[in-house]
Amino acid sequence: SLLSQKMNELDERERTINELQDMINAQTERVQNLLNSVKDALLGFSSDELTVREKDGKVYVAMSDKLLFESGSARVDKRGKEALAKLAEVLNKQSDTDSKPINTAQFKDNWDLSVIRATSVVRILTKDYGVKPLQIQPCGRGEFMPVADNETADGRAKNRRTEIIMAPKLDKLYQMLNQ
């Protein structure tokens, strides 16, 4: 009787493991499809203007400040809007700055400029291109999350970027893990 009970428990655990593995495989496939869709949509832009990568199950689109903004401005220019329109097409199909300080009448510091720029991008995606507001949120990191060395002009240019991070829904997977 005890052996039978243990066998049943092992069978149940194996079913749960197989179910979780299927969910992980499906999620990996969704992330890969999203990555490919974003890359295809943004083909016309050069690698110094934007990059698309996958990390930890999320798709990151990093857009350089040169693509989106004029220097010291938070207003997205025409070419930046083109890139955002293409990205919005992909998003709608789915159910940081450098350490050189800035202090102007409009922006207290790099972090302030970073947040305002992020908000500008989010407003365009939601108002102009119909992305649902709950799918996206602005976040400014200022000088606090560099991807390159801030000691060189090239490094600072790489750090002045807008990243759009897409995270597919993992509700079912989390529910399974919490049982």
Side-chain angles (χ1 to χ4, degrees):
S1 160
L2 183 60
L3 180 60
S4 178
Q5 179 186 353
K6 292 297 180 188
M7 293 289 285
N8 287 337
E9 287 176 14
L10 281 174
D11 286 345
E12 180 61 33
R13 284 185 182 172
E14 187 172 342
R15 277 192 299 280
T16 301
I17 289 170
N18 289 336
E19 198 174 319
L20 287 170
Q21 188 61 53
D22 290 345
M23 292 171 82
I24 289 168
N25 291 342
Q27 183 63 26
T28 301
E29 186 177 338
R30 281 193 296 273
V31 168
Q32 192 59 49
N33 289 340
L34 178 60
L35 180 66
N36 292 337
S37 295
V38 171
K39 282 183 176 180
D40 290 346
L42 299 172
L43 268 178
F45 298 93
S46 65
S47 61
D48 66 329
E49 291 178 315
L50 67 81
T51 58
V52 180
R53 65 185 167 85
E54 180 273 334
K55 181 182 173 191
D56 299 329
K58 296 179 183 177
V59 176
Y60 289 74
V61 178
M63 298 181 171
S64 75
D65 69 321
K66 288 184 278 189
L67 173 62
L68 294 172
F69 308 100
E70 290 182 23
S71 181
S73 172
R75 196 176 129 265
V76 176
D77 65 23
K78 183 180 177 186
R79 183 131 166 90
K81 282 189 176 186
E82 286 175 28
L84 292 173
K86 292 180 183 220
L87 180 61
E89 286 178 33
V90 174
L91 287 172
N92 285 330
K93 290 178 185 171
Q94 307 297 314
S95 289
D96 304 310
T97 61
D98 64 48
S99 61
K100 277 193 148 186
I102 183 175
N103 188 340
T104 67
Q106 189 175 7
F107 307 112
K108 181 178 176 182
D109 54 25
N110 284 342
W111 203 355
D112 193 23
L113 176 61
S114 174
V115 170
I116 299 298
R117 283 180 165 185
T119 302
S120 295
V121 169
V122 166
R123 286 181 205 261
I124 289 170
L125 288 170
T126 56
K127 290 183 179 179
D128 295 356
Y129 302 115
V131 173
K132 293 176 188 149
L134 294 177
Q135 283 185 291
I136 189 166
Q137 62 185 2
C139 180
R141 300 237 168 82
E143 64 271 20
F144 303 109
M145 285 196 73
V147 294
D149 184 2
N150 275 319
E151 299 304 312
T152 67
D154 185 52
R156 287 188 299 274
K158 287 179 181 167
N159 289 331
R160 286 190 302 268
R161 70 200 185 281
T162 298
E163 286 187 337
I164 290 101
I165 304 165
M166 292 158 273
K169 290 182 82 171
L170 298 173
D171 300 354
K172 289 181 183 175
L173 181 59
Y174 288 131
Q175 285 173 356
M176 288 292 296
L177 292 173
N178 289 326
Q179 288 183 355

